[in-house]
Amino acid sequence: MGPLEIAKKIAAYKAVDEYVKDNSIIGVGSGSTIIYAVHRLVERVKEENLNIVCVPTSFQARQLILNNHLTLGDLETYPKLDCAIDGADEVDSEMNLIKGGGGCLLQEKIVASCADELVIIADYTKNSQQLGEQYKKGIPIEVIPMAYKAIQKRIKDNYGGNIQLRMALAKAGPVVTDNGNFILDWHFPQGLTNWNKINIEISMIPGVVETGLFIKMAKKVFFGMPDGSVKEQ
Ligand code: 5RP
């Protein structure tokens, strides 16, 4: 296992060990780091007979829960969660996150908003002072398909930068989210800092379903570091 995978694993294991309690409802995030958290959940269920229900944030997370024989729940049955554990594409020094690199931002944000605590697990490459320092793929914005061009223009006119419709591999067509929407990736210009205001403004554009900006939603971040330690924020 390379240093990046080790970093993901140690962050995930520590988060699960510190935040997952017996008899709790856990939101399960999406991406590659969350796979290690699910492995640890499985170990703890076996070793400690832990009683947990897992609420997925995507089709991928649902498959992970089912394939690992964890108990699957949903927000209809469990509208309040004890904790949600998820990855991130970037975390700044003020706990603002960019999420949605895997296109699951909408359900991730819904599940996180229903949880008492959002705990982020990430490798060291996600640790930034300011958004955009490390992550170069832009802020994902989930949009209603018929509005994508108008939203693209509105964001470019208002804030500048470059904004692209996310395409599937080999440019076979646009990526379609679990919710049947498109994703715009906004490569924002340098110097923007008021993410709370920007997030609210973009969210209010008709046709925008959700942004990948998670503003002060995370309670705790665990970064796996190259030296094998875990940095907490
Ligand atoms: C998916 C996400 C992921 O949590 C984020 O992209 C981090 O993924 P990874 O753990 O693979 O780095 O927001 O929409």
Side-chain angles (χ1 to χ4, degrees), residues 131-132 155-156 158-162 186-193 195:
L131 296 184
I155 293 175
K156 199 171 164 47
N158 286 357
Y159 307 99
N162 201 353
W186 177 35
H187 299 261
F188 51 91
Q190 282 194 339
L192 297 182
T193 49
W195 292 115

Side-chain angles (χ1 to χ4, degrees), residues 8 29-34 86-89 98-105 108 121 123 126 135:
K8 292 179 189 187
S30 312
S32 56
T33 316
I34 198 67
D86 206 341
D89 300 301
I98 296 178
K99 283 188 51 55
C104 313
L105 59 152
E108 289 173 337
I121 51 179
D123 64 71
K126 315 292 183 66
Y135 189 62

Side-chain angles (χ1 to χ4, degrees), residues 83-167:
C83 174
I85 302 182
D86 206 341
D89 300 301
E90 195 168 32
V91 181
D92 77 8
S93 57
E94 297 182 351
M95 301 290 257
N96 298 315
L97 318 175
I98 296 178
K99 283 188 51 55
C104 313
L105 59 152
L106 173 58
Q107 292 186 36
E108 289 173 337
K109 202 180 267 190
I110 294 170
V111 170
S113 75
C114 296
D116 286 345
E117 297 168 331
L118 170 62
V119 175
I120 296 296
I121 51 179
D123 64 71
Y124 50 91
T125 64
K126 315 292 183 66
N127 185 7
S128 282
Q129 272 301 110
Q130 292 188 353
L131 296 184
E133 210 173 87
Q134 311 278 354
Y135 189 62
K136 302 295 178 200
K137 294 184 183 165
I139 295 172
I141 300 167
E142 181 157 348
V143 301
I144 297 292
M146 59 81 82
Y148 90 88
K149 203 87 198 184
I151 296 167
Q152 219 172 11
K153 181 172 174 351
R154 181 91 72 101
I155 293 175
K156 199 171 164 47
D157 289 351
N158 286 357
Y159 307 99
N162 201 353
I163 180 154
Q164 283 158 359
L165 180 63
R166 192 180 295 184
M167 300 299 282

Side-chain angles (χ1 to χ4, degrees), residues 1-9 36:
M1 198 185 277
L4 213 57
E5 290 306 308
I6 292 173
K8 292 179 189 187
K9 182 174 174 178
Y36 295 108

